[in-house]
Amino acid sequence: MDEKKLLAKVKKGDLESFNILVEKYQKHVYNIAYRFMGSREDASDAAQEAFLKAYRSISKFRNDASFKTWLYHITANVCRDELRKRKNTSVISLDVPIMGDDGQEIDRQLKSGNPSPEEQFEVKENQSFVQEVINSLPEDYRIILILRELQGLSYEEITEALNCSMGTVKSRLSRARKLFKDKIINIREQNDISKRQVR
Amino acid sequence: MDCKYFQEQLSWYIDGYIEEDEKQKLEQHLQQCALCAQELEEMKLALKSLRELPEVELPPGFRQEITKKLKEEHKKIYGSKPFIKRKIMKRHWLSWGATAAVVVFMLIAANIFRMFNMGSQSQTASNDLAEAQPNQEVMQLEKADTPVLDQEASITAQEEIKSSTDLAEVPEEKTSDGEQGTFQIMAVPDNMRESEAVVEVVSDLSVDIEVDQIQKAIQVLEEIVEKYNIQDFHIQIKGENSSGSSEATVYLTLPEDIVQKFLDAISTHYKLVNMRTNSFRAEDEKQEKNPSNLKLHLKNST
């Protein structure tokens, strides 16, 4: 059954039709939440809340809109709200040096005990490292990168999902990519320096 | 034009979201400027690491949890479905004597009714005998193998009915476990009063449904019947005229364990307004596997 018919039924209160949509989108919603929140547990809660919110507010869904982008919009908002609730908890930036108990600066990039430089390099190259860089980005940049690079949304779809203009999407995506790239390169270069020093 | 201008375009260039003339200018610049060319390569590499992040699997139990939460949400929005609840009964509505009298009356009425209709089409049970008037126009689309009344009578006899028709319903009442709007079927013999727990087994259920168009409603019901693979199903349409029918009664027999689901499915389309039931006290849990007879009375809400 096509999505429009399912949505018409959902609007009449048909939970089973909504469950079909959950089945179709659950993995995408969960993955967006996971990459945004950075933890599986938080992602699970956020994804579930997103579906509940969507079901609760289905009457507000415009029939001519795309359910996918509407759902992603809700998902992004749920994730943002959740992070906002936790704003009192410390957010560690990759850029800001952390002071140790002895007042010495601790370089977060070299936190992994004393593994060999090769091992360090591998750790930094792995997926959790990339995720850490995502986590360090401002929320607006994080979500636009997730939607574009991981979910493969078109610019037009992103304008709907983020409720902003094409101009905003283009400039924000451009800045988000540049910042992401700079962080990756910067850390890689630091890593190369530490490798040379060890040698 | 400086490098900053070109570098801002790199992102759109990668995606192909760039005008043709701008693209040519950028490509020309990239051939001359090593810095911008390097910026482009680095950007591509960085994005590759991002795009290569694997899709993570859903955590175990995710689907079950969301299904459960959605059901609860559905109840909050639309209210709970009016359906029989097996519950601990602490109050009574009819004395055992009155209940027994109704049962006897029903058995007699059923037999008289059958005698009068001997040789005619299979007739169906009705708690509301007015519906069984001989002058009603009956369009039987499909014949049930067993007339509902026969089955009802046999259950009545065999199971030593402890409660009966026209049992009180308590719509919109908040029940002990917090569900709202649940119809509770209450009929407790004297000797069962204040008893701790009585398991109600539903044998027959009669539900009134408000619909906007009878024909459309029948179509909807047919779809649901098909979905649940219910074989024993037939429809009587009353008062059909050029402007359409005003009432219809749908009879069906279905396994008891899907009655709730079946009514849930209907309630997503229409309002279930009234419910009467025959139920009996279960001494034996196996009885719960008995099929339930449903009578759905469609009424034009306008």
PDB file of all heavy atoms in Angstrom, chain B residues 105-139:
ATOM      1  N   PHE B 105     -36.213 -17.311  29.663  1.00  0.00           N
ATOM      2  CA  PHE B 105     -36.987 -16.554  28.688  1.00  0.00           C
ATOM      3  C   PHE B 105     -36.339 -16.640  27.307  1.00  0.00           C
ATOM      4  O   PHE B 105     -36.980 -16.869  26.302  1.00  0.00           O
ATOM      5  CB  PHE B 105     -37.085 -15.092  29.138  1.00  0.00           C
ATOM      6  CG  PHE B 105     -37.638 -14.179  28.069  1.00  0.00           C
ATOM      7  CD1 PHE B 105     -39.001 -14.163  27.798  1.00  0.00           C
ATOM      8  CD2 PHE B 105     -36.792 -13.364  27.319  1.00  0.00           C
ATOM      9  CE1 PHE B 105     -39.505 -13.334  26.809  1.00  0.00           C
ATOM     10  CE2 PHE B 105     -37.297 -12.555  26.323  1.00  0.00           C
ATOM     11  CZ  PHE B 105     -38.659 -12.531  26.071  1.00  0.00           C
ATOM     12  N   MET B 106     -35.049 -16.502  27.295  1.00  0.00           N
ATOM     13  CA  MET B 106     -34.335 -16.537  26.010  1.00  0.00           C
ATOM     14  C   MET B 106     -34.468 -17.884  25.327  1.00  0.00           C
ATOM     15  O   MET B 106     -34.660 -17.964  24.118  1.00  0.00           O
ATOM     16  CB  MET B 106     -32.855 -16.254  26.230  1.00  0.00           C
ATOM     17  CG  MET B 106     -32.549 -14.794  26.263  1.00  0.00           C
ATOM     18  SD  MET B 106     -30.800 -14.576  26.044  1.00  0.00           S
ATOM     19  CE  MET B 106     -30.563 -15.330  24.458  1.00  0.00           C
ATOM     20  N   LEU B 107     -34.339 -18.925  26.115  1.00  0.00           N
ATOM     21  CA  LEU B 107     -34.441 -20.265  25.546  1.00  0.00           C
ATOM     22  C   LEU B 107     -35.830 -20.475  24.946  1.00  0.00           C
ATOM     23  O   LEU B 107     -35.965 -20.997  23.840  1.00  0.00           O
ATOM     24  CB  LEU B 107     -34.160 -21.322  26.613  1.00  0.00           C
ATOM     25  CG  LEU B 107     -32.688 -21.434  27.026  1.00  0.00           C
ATOM     26  CD1 LEU B 107     -32.555 -22.317  28.265  1.00  0.00           C
ATOM     27  CD2 LEU B 107     -31.855 -21.985  25.880  1.00  0.00           C
ATOM     28  N   ILE B 108     -36.856 -20.034  25.702  1.00  0.00           N
ATOM     29  CA  ILE B 108     -38.226 -20.179  25.197  1.00  0.00           C
ATOM     30  C   ILE B 108     -38.397 -19.335  23.940  1.00  0.00           C
ATOM     31  O   ILE B 108     -38.879 -19.807  22.904  1.00  0.00           O
ATOM     32  CB  ILE B 108     -39.254 -19.753  26.290  1.00  0.00           C
ATOM     33  CG1 ILE B 108     -39.162 -20.720  27.470  1.00  0.00           C
ATOM     34  CG2 ILE B 108     -40.662 -19.705  25.719  1.00  0.00           C
ATOM     35  CD1 ILE B 108     -39.884 -20.236  28.716  1.00  0.00           C
ATOM     36  N   ALA B 109     -37.951 -18.093  24.053  1.00  0.00           N
ATOM     37  CA  ALA B 109     -38.104 -17.177  22.923  1.00  0.00           C
ATOM     38  C   ALA B 109     -37.397 -17.725  21.694  1.00  0.00           C
ATOM     39  O   ALA B 109     -37.914 -17.654  20.575  1.00  0.00           O
ATOM     40  CB  ALA B 109     -37.539 -15.808  23.297  1.00  0.00           C
ATOM     41  N   ALA B 110     -36.258 -18.306  21.923  1.00  0.00           N
ATOM     42  CA  ALA B 110     -35.477 -18.829  20.807  1.00  0.00           C
ATOM     43  C   ALA B 110     -36.219 -19.972  20.119  1.00  0.00           C
ATOM     44  O   ALA B 110     -36.266 -20.055  18.880  1.00  0.00           O
ATOM     45  CB  ALA B 110     -34.128 -19.309  21.305  1.00  0.00           C
ATOM     46  N   ASN B 111     -36.818 -20.831  20.924  1.00  0.00           N
ATOM     47  CA  ASN B 111     -37.533 -21.968  20.349  1.00  0.00           C
ATOM     48  C   ASN B 111     -38.779 -21.530  19.600  1.00  0.00           C
ATOM     49  O   ASN B 111     -39.054 -22.009  18.502  1.00  0.00           O
ATOM     50  CB  ASN B 111     -37.890 -22.967  21.448  1.00  0.00           C
ATOM     51  CG  ASN B 111     -36.677 -23.806  21.808  1.00  0.00           C
ATOM     52  OD1 ASN B 111     -35.982 -24.279  20.914  1.00  0.00           O
ATOM     53  ND2 ASN B 111     -36.384 -23.945  23.084  1.00  0.00           N
ATOM     54  N   ILE B 112     -39.523 -20.576  20.222  1.00  0.00           N
ATOM     55  CA  ILE B 112     -40.718 -20.045  19.548  1.00  0.00           C
ATOM     56  C   ILE B 112     -40.310 -19.408  18.231  1.00  0.00           C
ATOM     57  O   ILE B 112     -40.889 -19.643  17.183  1.00  0.00           O
ATOM     58  CB  ILE B 112     -41.429 -18.998  20.447  1.00  0.00           C
ATOM     59  CG1 ILE B 112     -41.995 -19.698  21.680  1.00  0.00           C
ATOM     60  CG2 ILE B 112     -42.514 -18.258  19.679  1.00  0.00           C
ATOM     61  CD1 ILE B 112     -42.494 -18.749  22.743  1.00  0.00           C
ATOM     62  N   PHE B 113     -39.265 -18.654  18.337  1.00  0.00           N
ATOM     63  CA  PHE B 113     -38.766 -17.934  17.174  1.00  0.00           C
ATOM     64  C   PHE B 113     -38.414 -18.913  16.039  1.00  0.00           C
ATOM     65  O   PHE B 113     -38.760 -18.730  14.897  1.00  0.00           O
ATOM     66  CB  PHE B 113     -37.527 -17.147  17.618  1.00  0.00           C
ATOM     67  CG  PHE B 113     -36.863 -16.393  16.512  1.00  0.00           C
ATOM     68  CD1 PHE B 113     -37.461 -15.280  15.950  1.00  0.00           C
ATOM     69  CD2 PHE B 113     -35.613 -16.789  16.039  1.00  0.00           C
ATOM     70  CE1 PHE B 113     -36.836 -14.580  14.947  1.00  0.00           C
ATOM     71  CE2 PHE B 113     -34.999 -16.094  15.033  1.00  0.00           C
ATOM     72  CZ  PHE B 113     -35.613 -14.975  14.481  1.00  0.00           C
ATOM     73  N   ARG B 114     -37.791 -20.012  16.430  1.00  0.00           N
ATOM     74  CA  ARG B 114     -37.394 -21.003  15.420  1.00  0.00           C
ATOM     75  C   ARG B 114     -38.604 -21.705  14.824  1.00  0.00           C
ATOM     76  O   ARG B 114     -38.657 -21.992  13.652  1.00  0.00           O
ATOM     77  CB  ARG B 114     -36.419 -22.020  16.018  1.00  0.00           C
ATOM     78  CG  ARG B 114     -34.974 -21.530  15.892  1.00  0.00           C
ATOM     79  CD  ARG B 114     -34.011 -22.620  16.162  1.00  0.00           C
ATOM     80  NE  ARG B 114     -34.151 -23.112  17.530  1.00  0.00           N
ATOM     81  CZ  ARG B 114     -33.458 -24.150  17.991  1.00  0.00           C
ATOM     82  NH1 ARG B 114     -32.641 -24.802  17.219  1.00  0.00           N
ATOM     83  NH2 ARG B 114     -33.610 -24.551  19.219  1.00  0.00           N
ATOM     84  N   MET B 115     -39.588 -21.985  15.696  1.00  0.00           N
ATOM     85  CA  MET B 115     -40.801 -22.643  15.203  1.00  0.00           C
ATOM     86  C   MET B 115     -41.476 -21.778  14.148  1.00  0.00           C
ATOM     87  O   MET B 115     -41.894 -22.251  13.102  1.00  0.00           O
ATOM     88  CB  MET B 115     -41.784 -22.876  16.367  1.00  0.00           C
ATOM     89  CG  MET B 115     -41.456 -24.138  17.168  1.00  0.00           C
ATOM     90  SD  MET B 115     -42.333 -24.139  18.731  1.00  0.00           S
ATOM     91  CE  MET B 115     -44.022 -24.090  18.178  1.00  0.00           C
ATOM     92  N   PHE B 116     -41.542 -20.489  14.426  1.00  0.00           N
ATOM     93  CA  PHE B 116     -42.199 -19.569  13.490  1.00  0.00           C
ATOM     94  C   PHE B 116     -41.443 -19.452  12.183  1.00  0.00           C
ATOM     95  O   PHE B 116     -41.994 -19.124  11.160  1.00  0.00           O
ATOM     96  CB  PHE B 116     -42.330 -18.176  14.121  1.00  0.00           C
ATOM     97  CG  PHE B 116     -43.595 -18.037  14.923  1.00  0.00           C
ATOM     98  CD1 PHE B 116     -43.565 -18.005  16.308  1.00  0.00           C
ATOM     99  CD2 PHE B 116     -44.831 -17.958  14.273  1.00  0.00           C
ATOM    100  CE1 PHE B 116     -44.722 -17.897  17.041  1.00  0.00           C
ATOM    101  CE2 PHE B 116     -45.987 -17.842  15.005  1.00  0.00           C
ATOM    102  CZ  PHE B 116     -45.944 -17.812  16.402  1.00  0.00           C
ATOM    103  N   ASN B 117     -40.181 -19.684  12.265  1.00  0.00           N
ATOM    104  CA  ASN B 117     -39.368 -19.479  11.072  1.00  0.00           C
ATOM    105  C   ASN B 117     -38.923 -20.793  10.443  1.00  0.00           C
ATOM    106  O   ASN B 117     -38.012 -20.813   9.632  1.00  0.00           O
ATOM    107  CB  ASN B 117     -38.135 -18.638  11.407  1.00  0.00           C
ATOM    108  CG  ASN B 117     -38.523 -17.221  11.718  1.00  0.00           C
ATOM    109  OD1 ASN B 117     -38.787 -16.438  10.815  1.00  0.00           O
ATOM    110  ND2 ASN B 117     -38.629 -16.919  12.997  1.00  0.00           N
ATOM    111  N   MET B 118     -39.574 -21.853  10.858  1.00  0.00           N
ATOM    112  CA  MET B 118     -39.231 -23.171  10.345  1.00  0.00           C
ATOM    113  C   MET B 118     -39.283 -23.148   8.818  1.00  0.00           C
ATOM    114  O   MET B 118     -40.233 -22.662   8.228  1.00  0.00           O
ATOM    115  CB  MET B 118     -40.230 -24.197  10.875  1.00  0.00           C
ATOM    116  CG  MET B 118     -39.732 -25.607  10.828  1.00  0.00           C
ATOM    117  SD  MET B 118     -38.793 -26.023  12.304  1.00  0.00           S
ATOM    118  CE  MET B 118     -40.133 -26.309  13.444  1.00  0.00           C
ATOM    119  N   GLY B 119     -38.266 -23.692   8.224  1.00  0.00           N
ATOM    120  CA  GLY B 119     -38.293 -23.800   6.772  1.00  0.00           C
ATOM    121  C   GLY B 119     -37.833 -22.530   6.063  1.00  0.00           C
ATOM    122  O   GLY B 119     -37.608 -22.542   4.867  1.00  0.00           O
ATOM    123  N   SER B 120     -37.732 -21.493   6.777  1.00  0.00           N
ATOM    124  CA  SER B 120     -37.252 -20.265   6.132  1.00  0.00           C
ATOM    125  C   SER B 120     -35.732 -20.262   6.162  1.00  0.00           C
ATOM    126  O   SER B 120     -35.090 -21.236   6.546  1.00  0.00           O
ATOM    127  CB  SER B 120     -37.800 -19.049   6.851  1.00  0.00           C
ATOM    128  OG  SER B 120     -37.183 -18.967   8.112  1.00  0.00           O
ATOM    129  N   GLN B 121     -35.175 -19.159   5.784  1.00  0.00           N
ATOM    130  CA  GLN B 121     -33.717 -19.075   5.765  1.00  0.00           C
ATOM    131  C   GLN B 121     -33.162 -19.203   7.168  1.00  0.00           C
ATOM    132  O   GLN B 121     -33.860 -18.996   8.130  1.00  0.00           O
ATOM    133  CB  GLN B 121     -33.294 -17.699   5.265  1.00  0.00           C
ATOM    134  CG  GLN B 121     -33.687 -17.435   3.857  1.00  0.00           C
ATOM    135  CD  GLN B 121     -33.240 -16.033   3.485  1.00  0.00           C
ATOM    136  OE1 GLN B 121     -32.103 -15.712   3.688  1.00  0.00           O
ATOM    137  NE2 GLN B 121     -34.127 -15.266   2.954  1.00  0.00           N
ATOM    138  N   SER B 122     -31.919 -19.493   7.217  1.00  0.00           N
ATOM    139  CA  SER B 122     -31.271 -19.567   8.518  1.00  0.00           C
ATOM    140  C   SER B 122     -31.414 -18.234   9.225  1.00  0.00           C
ATOM    141  O   SER B 122     -31.213 -17.187   8.658  1.00  0.00           O
ATOM    142  CB  SER B 122     -29.780 -19.863   8.292  1.00  0.00           C
ATOM    143  OG  SER B 122     -29.041 -19.386   9.349  1.00  0.00           O
ATOM    144  N   GLN B 123     -31.805 -18.329  10.458  1.00  0.00           N
ATOM    145  CA  GLN B 123     -32.015 -17.085  11.204  1.00  0.00           C
ATOM    146  C   GLN B 123     -30.880 -16.906  12.196  1.00  0.00           C
ATOM    147  O   GLN B 123     -30.242 -17.849  12.639  1.00  0.00           O
ATOM    148  CB  GLN B 123     -33.348 -17.143  11.950  1.00  0.00           C
ATOM    149  CG  GLN B 123     -34.538 -17.116  11.028  1.00  0.00           C
ATOM    150  CD  GLN B 123     -34.577 -15.851  10.170  1.00  0.00           C
ATOM    151  OE1 GLN B 123     -34.232 -14.779  10.624  1.00  0.00           O
ATOM    152  NE2 GLN B 123     -34.974 -15.998   8.942  1.00  0.00           N
ATOM    153  N   THR B 124     -30.704 -15.699  12.540  1.00  0.00           N
ATOM    154  CA  THR B 124     -29.594 -15.413  13.428  1.00  0.00           C
ATOM    155  C   THR B 124     -30.092 -14.889  14.754  1.00  0.00           C
ATOM    156  O   THR B 124     -31.194 -14.386  14.869  1.00  0.00           O
ATOM    157  CB  THR B 124     -28.673 -14.374  12.775  1.00  0.00           C
ATOM    158  OG1 THR B 124     -29.487 -13.324  12.357  1.00  0.00           O
ATOM    159  CG2 THR B 124     -27.924 -14.980  11.644  1.00  0.00           C
ATOM    160  N   ALA B 125     -29.259 -15.008  15.682  1.00  0.00           N
ATOM    161  CA  ALA B 125     -29.638 -14.636  17.038  1.00  0.00           C
ATOM    162  C   ALA B 125     -29.761 -13.139  17.176  1.00  0.00           C
ATOM    163  O   ALA B 125     -29.143 -12.366  16.481  1.00  0.00           O
ATOM    164  CB  ALA B 125     -28.572 -15.111  17.994  1.00  0.00           C
ATOM    165  N   SER B 126     -30.577 -12.802  18.090  1.00  0.00           N
ATOM    166  CA  SER B 126     -30.696 -11.386  18.364  1.00  0.00           C
ATOM    167  C   SER B 126     -31.048 -11.226  19.820  1.00  0.00           C
ATOM    168  O   SER B 126     -31.985 -11.809  20.316  1.00  0.00           O
ATOM    169  CB  SER B 126     -31.783 -10.805  17.476  1.00  0.00           C
ATOM    170  OG  SER B 126     -32.156  -9.555  17.963  1.00  0.00           O
ATOM    171  N   ASN B 127     -30.271 -10.431  20.487  1.00  0.00           N
ATOM    172  CA  ASN B 127     -30.647 -10.120  21.849  1.00  0.00           C
ATOM    173  C   ASN B 127     -31.809  -9.150  21.824  1.00  0.00           C
ATOM    174  O   ASN B 127     -32.594  -9.055  22.740  1.00  0.00           O
ATOM    175  CB  ASN B 127     -29.478  -9.491  22.586  1.00  0.00           C
ATOM    176  CG  ASN B 127     -28.361 -10.494  22.768  1.00  0.00           C
ATOM    177  OD1 ASN B 127     -28.622 -11.693  22.756  1.00  0.00           O
ATOM    178  ND2 ASN B 127     -27.155 -10.017  22.903  1.00  0.00           N
ATOM    179  N   ASP B 128     -31.866  -8.421  20.742  1.00  0.00           N
ATOM    180  CA  ASP B 128     -32.931  -7.469  20.561  1.00  0.00           C
ATOM    181  C   ASP B 128     -33.954  -8.118  19.624  1.00  0.00           C
ATOM    182  O   ASP B 128     -33.784  -8.133  18.414  1.00  0.00           O
ATOM    183  CB  ASP B 128     -32.325  -6.205  19.933  1.00  0.00           C
ATOM    184  CG  ASP B 128     -33.382  -5.188  19.620  1.00  0.00           C
ATOM    185  OD1 ASP B 128     -34.554  -5.404  20.003  1.00  0.00           O
ATOM    186  OD2 ASP B 128     -33.047  -4.184  18.997  1.00  0.00           O
ATOM    187  N   LEU B 129     -34.998  -8.702  20.187  1.00  0.00           N
ATOM    188  CA  LEU B 129     -35.906  -9.498  19.368  1.00  0.00           C
ATOM    189  C   LEU B 129     -36.648  -8.662  18.350  1.00  0.00           C
ATOM    190  O   LEU B 129     -37.132  -9.173  17.346  1.00  0.00           O
ATOM    191  CB  LEU B 129     -36.901 -10.248  20.267  1.00  0.00           C
ATOM    192  CG  LEU B 129     -36.279 -11.400  21.050  1.00  0.00           C
ATOM    193  CD1 LEU B 129     -37.305 -12.026  21.961  1.00  0.00           C
ATOM    194  CD2 LEU B 129     -35.701 -12.437  20.115  1.00  0.00           C
ATOM    195  N   ALA B 130     -36.738  -7.383  18.580  1.00  0.00           N
ATOM    196  CA  ALA B 130     -37.428  -6.517  17.634  1.00  0.00           C
ATOM    197  C   ALA B 130     -36.814  -6.642  16.250  1.00  0.00           C
ATOM    198  O   ALA B 130     -37.483  -6.481  15.238  1.00  0.00           O
ATOM    199  CB  ALA B 130     -37.339  -5.081  18.108  1.00  0.00           C
ATOM    200  N   GLU B 131     -35.567  -6.964  16.238  1.00  0.00           N
ATOM    201  CA  GLU B 131     -34.879  -7.048  14.946  1.00  0.00           C
ATOM    202  C   GLU B 131     -35.301  -8.268  14.147  1.00  0.00           C
ATOM    203  O   GLU B 131     -35.045  -8.350  12.963  1.00  0.00           O
ATOM    204  CB  GLU B 131     -33.384  -7.114  15.189  1.00  0.00           C
ATOM    205  CG  GLU B 131     -32.791  -5.750  15.303  1.00  0.00           C
ATOM    206  CD  GLU B 131     -31.303  -5.856  15.329  1.00  0.00           C
ATOM    207  OE1 GLU B 131     -30.789  -6.783  14.689  1.00  0.00           O
ATOM    208  OE2 GLU B 131     -30.700  -5.029  15.995  1.00  0.00           O
ATOM    209  N   ALA B 132     -35.865  -9.220  14.836  1.00  0.00           N
ATOM    210  CA  ALA B 132     -36.226 -10.463  14.163  1.00  0.00           C
ATOM    211  C   ALA B 132     -37.670 -10.436  13.665  1.00  0.00           C
ATOM    212  O   ALA B 132     -38.264 -11.474  13.451  1.00  0.00           O
ATOM    213  CB  ALA B 132     -36.015 -11.630  15.107  1.00  0.00           C
ATOM    214  N   GLN B 133     -38.223  -9.273  13.503  1.00  0.00           N
ATOM    215  CA  GLN B 133     -39.588  -9.174  12.997  1.00  0.00           C
ATOM    216  C   GLN B 133     -39.643  -9.777  11.603  1.00  0.00           C
ATOM    217  O   GLN B 133     -38.793  -9.541  10.773  1.00  0.00           O
ATOM    218  CB  GLN B 133     -40.024  -7.706  12.934  1.00  0.00           C
ATOM    219  CG  GLN B 133     -40.146  -7.039  14.286  1.00  0.00           C
ATOM    220  CD  GLN B 133     -41.074  -7.757  15.223  1.00  0.00           C
ATOM    221  OE1 GLN B 133     -42.177  -8.117  14.825  1.00  0.00           O
ATOM    222  NE2 GLN B 133     -40.631  -8.017  16.429  1.00  0.00           N
ATOM    223  N   PRO B 134     -40.703 -10.567  11.324  1.00  0.00           N
ATOM    224  CA  PRO B 134     -40.785 -11.239  10.033  1.00  0.00           C
ATOM    225  C   PRO B 134     -40.943 -10.272   8.860  1.00  0.00           C
ATOM    226  O   PRO B 134     -40.617 -10.625   7.742  1.00  0.00           O
ATOM    227  CB  PRO B 134     -42.025 -12.131  10.162  1.00  0.00           C
ATOM    228  CG  PRO B 134     -42.671 -11.798  11.447  1.00  0.00           C
ATOM    229  CD  PRO B 134     -41.773 -10.938  12.239  1.00  0.00           C
ATOM    230  N   ASN B 135     -41.440  -9.084   9.113  1.00  0.00           N
ATOM    231  CA  ASN B 135     -41.662  -8.174   7.986  1.00  0.00           C
ATOM    232  C   ASN B 135     -40.393  -7.433   7.549  1.00  0.00           C
ATOM    233  O   ASN B 135     -40.426  -6.644   6.639  1.00  0.00           O
ATOM    234  CB  ASN B 135     -42.761  -7.155   8.318  1.00  0.00           C
ATOM    235  CG  ASN B 135     -42.368  -6.316   9.522  1.00  0.00           C
ATOM    236  OD1 ASN B 135     -41.360  -6.593  10.158  1.00  0.00           O
ATOM    237  ND2 ASN B 135     -43.177  -5.321   9.817  1.00  0.00           N
ATOM    238  N   GLN B 136     -39.315  -7.713   8.238  1.00  0.00           N
ATOM    239  CA  GLN B 136     -38.107  -7.006   7.820  1.00  0.00           C
ATOM    240  C   GLN B 136     -37.569  -7.588   6.510  1.00  0.00           C
ATOM    241  O   GLN B 136     -37.706  -8.768   6.234  1.00  0.00           O
ATOM    242  CB  GLN B 136     -37.030  -7.088   8.904  1.00  0.00           C
ATOM    243  CG  GLN B 136     -36.265  -8.387   8.909  1.00  0.00           C
ATOM    244  CD  GLN B 136     -35.225  -8.387  10.002  1.00  0.00           C
ATOM    245  OE1 GLN B 136     -35.508  -8.006  11.121  1.00  0.00           O
ATOM    246  NE2 GLN B 136     -34.050  -8.817   9.678  1.00  0.00           N
ATOM    247  N   GLU B 137     -37.048  -6.708   5.755  1.00  0.00           N
ATOM    248  CA  GLU B 137     -36.472  -7.163   4.489  1.00  0.00           C
ATOM    249  C   GLU B 137     -35.085  -7.713   4.761  1.00  0.00           C
ATOM    250  O   GLU B 137     -34.252  -7.051   5.373  1.00  0.00           O
ATOM    251  CB  GLU B 137     -36.352  -5.976   3.532  1.00  0.00           C
ATOM    252  CG  GLU B 137     -35.965  -6.403   2.154  1.00  0.00           C
ATOM    253  CD  GLU B 137     -35.866  -5.201   1.231  1.00  0.00           C
ATOM    254  OE1 GLU B 137     -36.474  -4.171   1.547  1.00  0.00           O
ATOM    255  OE2 GLU B 137     -35.202  -5.331   0.216  1.00  0.00           O
ATOM    256  N   VAL B 138     -34.867  -8.920   4.369  1.00  0.00           N
ATOM    257  CA  VAL B 138     -33.606  -9.551   4.699  1.00  0.00           C
ATOM    258  C   VAL B 138     -32.826  -9.876   3.436  1.00  0.00           C
ATOM    259  O   VAL B 138     -33.332 -10.500   2.536  1.00  0.00           O
ATOM    260  CB  VAL B 138     -33.851 -10.852   5.498  1.00  0.00           C
ATOM    261  CG1 VAL B 138     -32.550 -11.599   5.705  1.00  0.00           C
ATOM    262  CG2 VAL B 138     -34.486 -10.525   6.833  1.00  0.00           C
ATOM    263  N   MET B 139     -31.651  -9.404   3.411  1.00  0.00           N
ATOM    264  CA  MET B 139     -30.787  -9.766   2.291  1.00  0.00           C
ATOM    265  C   MET B 139     -29.618 -10.521   2.879  1.00  0.00           C
ATOM    266  O   MET B 139     -28.737  -9.958   3.505  1.00  0.00           O
ATOM    267  CB  MET B 139     -30.289  -8.512   1.584  1.00  0.00           C
ATOM    268  CG  MET B 139     -29.621  -8.798   0.277  1.00  0.00           C
ATOM    269  SD  MET B 139     -29.142  -7.296  -0.535  1.00  0.00           S
ATOM    270  CE  MET B 139     -27.519  -7.074   0.119  1.00  0.00           C
TER     271      MET B 139
END
